[in-house]
Amino acid sequence: MRVKKSPYLFAYSAWDIIPVLAGCLHFLFFAWMISSFHSLALWQKCVVGLIYAFSISWNVNSVSHNFIHNAYFKSALLNRLFSLMESVTMGFSQTMYDYVHRQHHIGNNDRKGADGETIDWISIYRHGAHGQAEHPLKYSLLSYFRDDPKRIYGLIKKHSQALAYFAVFEVVVVTLMIVGFLLWDWLFGLFFVFFYYLGHSLTAMNGYYEHAGANPDLPIAWGVSCYNKLYNWLWLNNGYHAEHHYRPKHHWTQMHALHTEIAEKQKQAGVKVIPWPHPIGFMMEWMKEQ
């Protein structure tokens, strides 16, 4: 896909209208879910909740992920507003996600060092035993509780005090929103918290299979890729994950071209490729056991 440079609204490419509109539609779905909750039957509530949970994982790994690597707008104000909208839609600070993800790329899913720690705060080896990756289910279900807001805030503050304050603002807005849900209707509040947590667990599982079987010691093989066309169309080329870790600032529209450029080097390095999209990577494990 050829990049269409935009001299006006977008910082990098006119193609970024796609993730921007996708993010806005996700926010509208979230708003509809709130407003329609009382008119839905129980089974409909469950279906909508599951869609919301899955959509969190989708957004984090497509719209939001590409945004934190290459901010969509030239305007700093528009970027902050989009970040706030994403924070409200998914229930966590996008600015904090940005800095956790920066640390992820510094460590690149590293193994534990001599001090028993990993540079990457979300490395699948961080809580594993005997140098092995943690079990995917444990990693997925516990990752949400392992974030350290104080530590993240400190990292952001080193770069920008104003941005650190904005991160706190996003956290406050989200916290007040959740408290507001519980005060407005405790049933909806519990509904939201459950599917919100499930969404973040699915996000962690997606991240697990983006790195399970990758080589933390070889830059070109830091990630695991999936070249399923439908997956990459819907997830904005997130399937090119080995390529992404090799060149993190590469724009999402150029990932296939990058893959073509380095395909032979990847083959020689033994880059892991899976046929299943990362969100259902657990199916590979299930099939191996059959």
Side-chain angles (χ1 to χ4, degrees), residues 74-90:
K74 289 183 177 180
S75 165
L77 175 61
L78 286 178
N79 283 324
R80 297 283 66 80
L81 289 174
F82 189 81
S83 177
L84 181 61
M85 181 187 75
E86 287 280 276
S87 299
V88 168
T89 303
M90 293 183 286

Side-chain angles (χ1 to χ4, degrees), residues 5 7 14 20 47 60 73 85 87 113 120 123 172 182 208 212-213 227 234 236 242 279 290:
K5 294 288 184 178
V20 167
V47 170
V60 170
F73 304 105
M85 181 187 75
S87 299
D120 178 1
S123 171
V172 170
L182 290 166
Y208 187 95
Y227 303 124
L234 292 173
L236 305 177
Q290 301 310 304

Side-chain angles (χ1 to χ4, degrees), residues 100-284:
V100 170
H101 199 74
R102 290 186 189 206
Q103 195 69 20
H104 172 57
H105 277 279
I106 293 172
N108 289 289
N109 195 53
D110 58 324
R111 295 186 178 92
K112 293 179 185 179
D115 59 354
E117 293 291 325
T118 58
I119 297 170
D120 178 1
W121 296 341
I122 57 173
S123 171
I124 64 176
Y125 296 98
R126 187 172 185 82
H127 297 278
H130 311 297
Q132 300 300 309
E134 187 175 13
H135 189 279
L137 188 60
K138 184 181 175 186
Y139 179 87
S140 300
L141 295 176
L142 296 182
S143 285
Y144 177 82
F145 304 102
R146 290 169 173 168
D147 283 337
D148 184 346
K150 185 177 179 181
R151 188 181 193 183
I152 301 168
Y153 172 81
L155 181 62
I156 302 172
K157 189 178 178 181
K158 286 181 181 178
H159 289 86
S160 169
Q161 180 70 72
L163 201 56
Y165 286 154
F166 185 75
V168 172
F169 173 69
E170 288 180 329
V171 171
V172 170
V173 169
V174 168
T175 301
L176 290 175
M177 177 184 74
I178 296 174
V179 171
F181 287 159
L182 290 166
L183 293 175
W184 170 59
D185 183 337
W186 66 269
L187 190 59
F188 175 78
L190 293 179
F191 163 88
F192 172 79
V193 168
F194 174 77
F195 287 107
Y196 154 78
Y197 165 70
L198 178 60
H200 287 275
S201 297
L202 291 172
T203 300
M205 180 172 285
N206 190 101
Y208 187 95
Y209 287 105
E210 287 171 347
H211 295 282
N215 186 344
D217 303 314
L218 193 61
I220 202 168
W222 274 334
V224 174
S225 288
C226 171
Y227 303 124
N228 180 280
K229 290 184 178 180
L230 179 60
Y231 169 49
N232 280 300
W233 184 74
L234 292 173
W235 264 257
L236 305 177
N237 285 336
N238 187 61
Y240 295 92
H241 212 72
E243 293 81 358
H244 169 66
H245 270 266
Y246 190 54
R247 293 186 189 167
K249 292 296 290 182
H250 224 63
H251 194 263
W252 66 273
T253 59
Q254 296 298 295
M255 298 313 296
H256 179 71
L258 175 60
H259 168 64
T260 302
E261 178 188 331
I262 65 174
E264 188 56 38
K265 291 181 181 179
Q266 288 182 309
K267 185 177 179 181
Q268 293 172 5
V271 171
K272 183 175 179 180
V273 177
I274 57 175
W276 296 104
H278 299 115
I280 53 174
F282 63 89
M283 291 183 68
M284 288 291 293

Side-chain angles (χ1 to χ4, degrees), residues 13-68:
S13 167
W15 285 107
D16 282 333
I17 187 65
I18 295 173
V20 167
L21 288 177
C24 291
L25 287 173
H26 192 200
F27 173 76
L28 290 175
F29 170 77
F30 175 62
W32 172 84
M33 180 180 74
I34 299 169
S35 63
S36 303
F37 179 76
H38 294 103
S39 63
L40 299 174
L42 179 60
W43 71 268
Q44 292 173 320
K45 287 180 172 70
C46 292
V47 170
V48 169
L50 288 172
I51 292 173
Y52 175 63
F54 192 74
S55 72
I56 290 176
S57 177
W58 161 77
N59 192 323
V60 170
N61 291 287
S62 58
V63 175
S64 177
H65 180 239
N66 286 313
F67 175 63
I68 63 175

